[in-house]
């Protein structure tokens, strides 16, 4: 599959700046410092300069551009832990900043194996052609270094050209190349192989490099859906904006969750014709797989998804959901059938599969029509009942999908109660949440006529890292 992109693409995010750390001079000489979070298992971070927080809450693949005074500066990065605590993961004191140089300070490596560190790149901005595409490329992926067992070769060619005999360049983890100036064109292709091999482990598909652009391209750990497509993705920095290019064959990831208690088993059809892509899903079921990143891979673009009673087909008059989803390459989606059969609808949630070493990441979806608005309590597993605990989430309405909440490693009791009552309607005790895990909980209705006793009362549908991948 060849997918055409024009840079910049969908923004991975830019973060707002706070505080001021210019000198008190009337006209101080300044420089440019760009901060990039490129540690795939690290939590969101605060960036500090000379002890002041200048970038709060920067997440993985987010960047910010600062304009500090030239001179010496102390730069630190503090990881944000569950409960609001912080820990310093990077400290670089006495960094010399020149007014005639731009700097990129990149948090690289991993928290889990204590290899996270600052990588500082410098750039004088010189270029030969104002209309060229100027780019610098840096290897920021420890996963790729491990997978390739060493350096990688990078090929920048016209789209569709065969792989040349010689690579455009080769580099290893934490090395950078450039600046390279290339003619502006919408017809480029970037491919990566292990050094000396012709096995392509990353293929950008067709991309564009705009005239006059000045880009920093980083190969980072691939944390998108269907992540076994490639060990890396590319982040493209244009000032403080970050775009991401996944392998062209990675596709979007889609799974379906049957959370409509009085609906029969369902078939899911993708596209305009053909047999059911996901057949015979029962109430409480997750298809194709409930484990983390257990998706059906679908090409990016507008995709029609229809849900019908199992065995009735598309022409049987029992299509109960008909939605067109704007799928994005590398993004995972959970499509939940929610509501009672007479009002059944699709609830589409965008997923993450990224493991964060310092926390469990917990998401809660309210799909119970019977419960009304609810308070959600998360208490230590040693605590019997709600007691005097405050809800972790209050007054949560039907069809709400929470963010991924940072939770400390441990065992918890989960209680879901109608808002303001303190009386649990749904209880799950002894729930283990492990640092690095990604978890999704769906509150569901009861089906008293179901053959499965576990579904005959109000309860939960658990997936992602609650469910182990078959061995």
């Amino acid at each position: 599959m060849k997918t055409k992109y024009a840079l910049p693409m969908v923004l991975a995010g830019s973060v707002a700046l706070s505080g001021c750390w210019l000198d008190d001079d009337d006209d101080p000489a300044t420089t440019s410092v760009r901060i990039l979070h490129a540690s795939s298992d690290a939590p969101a971070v605060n960036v500090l300069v000379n002890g002041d927080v200048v970038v709060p809450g920067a997440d993985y693949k987010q960047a910010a551009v600062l304009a500090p005074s030239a001179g010496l500066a102390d730069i630190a990065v503090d990881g944000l832990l569950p409960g609001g605590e912080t820990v310093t993961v990077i400290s670089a004191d006495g960094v010399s900043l020149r007014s005639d140089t731009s700097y990129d300070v990149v948090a690289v490596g991993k928290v889990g194996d204590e290899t996270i560190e600052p990588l500082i790149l410098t750039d004088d901005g010189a270029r030969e052609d104002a209309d060229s595409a100027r780019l610098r490329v840096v290897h920021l992926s420890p996963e790729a270094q491990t997978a390739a067992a060493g350096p990688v070769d990078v090929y920048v060619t016209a789209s569709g050209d065969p792989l040349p005999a010689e690579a455009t360049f080769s580099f290893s983890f934490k090395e950078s190349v450039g600046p390279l100036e290339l003619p502006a064109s919408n017809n480029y292709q970037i491919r990566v192989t292990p050094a000396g091999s012709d096995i392509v482990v990353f293929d950008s598909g067709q991309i564009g490099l705009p005239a006059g652009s000045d880009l920093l391209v980083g190969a980072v750990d691939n944390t998108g859906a269907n992540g076994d497509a490639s060990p890396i993705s590319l982040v493209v920095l244009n000032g403080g904006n970050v775009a991401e290019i996944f392998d062209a064959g990675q596709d979007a990831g889609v799974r379906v969750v049957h959370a409509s208690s009085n609906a029969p088993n369902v078939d899911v059809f993708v596209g305009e014709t053909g047999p059911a892509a996901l057949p015979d899903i029962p109430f409480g079921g997750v298809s194709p797989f409930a484990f983390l990143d257990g998706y059906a891979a679908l090409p990016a673009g507008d995709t029609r998804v229809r849900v019908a009673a199992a065995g009735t087909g598309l022409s049987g008059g029992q299509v109960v959901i008909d939605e067109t989803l704007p799928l994005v390459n590398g993004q995972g989606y959970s499509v939940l059938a929610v509501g009672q059969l007479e009002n059944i609808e699709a609830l589409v949630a965008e997923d993450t599969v990224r493991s964060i070493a310092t926390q469990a990441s917990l998401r809660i979806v309210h799909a119970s029509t019977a419960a009304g608005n609810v308070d959600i309590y998360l208490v230590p597993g040693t605590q019997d009942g709600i007691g005097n605990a405050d809800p972790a989430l209050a007054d949560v309405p039907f069809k709400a999908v929470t963010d991924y909440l940072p939770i400390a490693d441990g065992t918890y009791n989960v209680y879901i109660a109608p808002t303001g009552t303190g009386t649990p309607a749904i209880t799950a005790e002894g729930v283990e949440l492990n640092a690095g895990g990604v978890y999704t909980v769906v509150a569901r209705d009861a089906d008293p006529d179901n053959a499965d006793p576990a579904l005959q009362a109000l309860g939960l549908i658990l997936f992602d890292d609650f469910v182990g991948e078959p061995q």
Side-chain angles (χ1 to χ4, degrees):
M1 169 181 143
K2 295 293 183 286
T3 304
K4 182 180 291 187
Y5 296 95
L7 299 180
M9 293 169 295
V10 178
L11 297 185
S14 301
V15 290
L17 310 185
S18 69
C20 178
W21 48 294
L22 296 178
D23 289 343
D24 294 330
D25 298 348
D26 291 337
D27 188 21
T30 61
T31 186
S32 175
V33 178
R34 180 166 50 188
I35 310 291
L36 172 64
H37 184 335
S39 176
S40 62
D41 72 339
V45 299
N46 292 336
V47 179
L48 295 84
V49 178
N50 297 331
D52 295 326
V53 175
V54 295
V55 182
D59 213 341
Y60 180 51
K61 294 180 291 192
Q62 288 187 327
V65 179
L66 313 176
S69 300
L72 297 179
D74 297 335
I75 299 175
V77 175
D78 286 353
L80 305 181
L81 303 180
E85 297 181 11
T86 63
V87 60
T88 299
V89 293
I90 288 177
S91 180
D93 295 337
V95 177
S96 179
L97 303 175
R98 296 173 53 94
S99 60
D100 58 356
T101 303
S102 296
Y103 300 85
D104 289 291
V105 180
V106 184
V108 66
K110 291 201 168 185
V111 170
D113 59 11
E114 299 182 349
T115 60
I116 188 170
E117 61 178 320
L119 178 64
I120 300 177
L121 308 176
T122 61
D123 184 24
D124 62 8
R127 63 189 306 155
E128 297 179 359
D129 183 354
D131 293 326
S132 68
R134 182 181 188 268
L135 61 155
R136 293 174 295 134
V137 187
V138 57
H139 188 333
L140 303 174
S141 173
E143 293 290 344
Q145 180 77 3
T146 300
V152 296
D153 293 337
V154 180
Y155 300 82
V156 182
T157 68
S159 179
D161 281 0
L163 209 64
E166 293 187 9
T168 307
F169 58 87
S170 301
F171 60 0
S172 296
F173 180 48
K174 296 187 288 188
E175 292 183 345
S176 61
V177 172
L180 307 174
E181 290 194 50
L182 301 174
S185 172
N186 288 323
N187 195 41
Y188 281 107
Q189 184 175 6
I190 300 174
R191 284 166 285 186
V192 179
T193 72
S197 170
D198 59 0
I199 299 174
V200 175
V201 296
F202 175 85
D203 183 347
S204 69
Q206 184 175 340
I207 62 170
L209 297 177
S213 57
D214 194 350
L215 308 174
L216 177 67
V217 180
V220 298
D221 289 344
N222 180 10
T223 58
N226 304 320
D228 56 357
S230 174
I232 65 168
S233 62
L234 300 183
V235 292
V236 183
L237 280 71
N238 184 6
N241 291 333
V242 184
E244 184 165 18
I245 305 173
F246 290 100
D247 184 274
Q250 186 159 341
D251 292 338
V254 176
R255 62 185 167 191
V256 174
V257 183
H258 187 336
S260 177
S261 62
N262 69 339
N265 289 14
V266 298
D267 295 336
V268 177
F269 297 84
V270 177
E272 298 302 321
T273 59
L278 301 172
D280 202 26
I281 307 171
F283 172 55
V286 182
S287 183
F289 303 106
F291 54 77
L292 188 68
D293 207 12
Y295 296 110
L298 299 177
D302 290 344
T303 301
R304 190 178 186 186
V305 175
R306 286 175 282 182
V307 178
T312 64
L314 289 174
S315 59
Q318 296 193 47
V319 174
V320 293
I321 293 175
D322 188 344
E323 293 280 345
T324 297
L325 306 180
L327 303 180
V328 175
N329 199 30
Q331 177 63 55
Y333 303 85
S334 291
V335 182
L336 295 91
V338 299
Q340 295 295 287
L341 181 58
E342 57 273 18
N343 296 307
I344 195 170
E345 59 183 306
L347 176 62
V348 181
E350 293 189 358
D351 303 340
T352 185
V353 299
R354 182 170 76 94
S355 172
I356 300 176
T358 56
Q359 68 184 53
S361 300
L362 174 67
R363 178 179 59 170
I364 301 173
V365 181
H366 184 351
S368 172
T369 61
N373 286 20
V374 297
D375 296 333
I376 300 173
Y377 297 83
L378 191 69
V379 303
T382 54
Q383 179 175 321
D384 185 13
I386 292 173
N388 294 322
D390 293 325
L393 299 166
D395 201 21
V396 179
F398 174 57
K399 297 191 292 185
V401 180
T402 74
D403 294 332
Y404 286 87
L405 308 174
I407 307 296
D409 185 289
T411 301
Y412 296 88
N413 296 333
V414 179
Y415 302 108
I416 300 177
T419 294
T421 67
T423 302
I426 299 173
T427 297
E429 297 182 325
V431 177
E432 292 188 10
L433 300 177
N434 298 316
V438 179
Y439 303 91
T440 298
V441 171
V442 177
R444 57 156 179 82
D445 285 337
D447 180 6
D449 298 324
N450 200 292
D452 184 349
L455 299 175
Q456 293 173 7
L458 291 175
L460 304 174
I461 302 170
L462 305 177
F463 50 98
D464 289 336
D465 277 330
F466 283 122
V467 179
E469 187 171 351
Q471 301 299 313

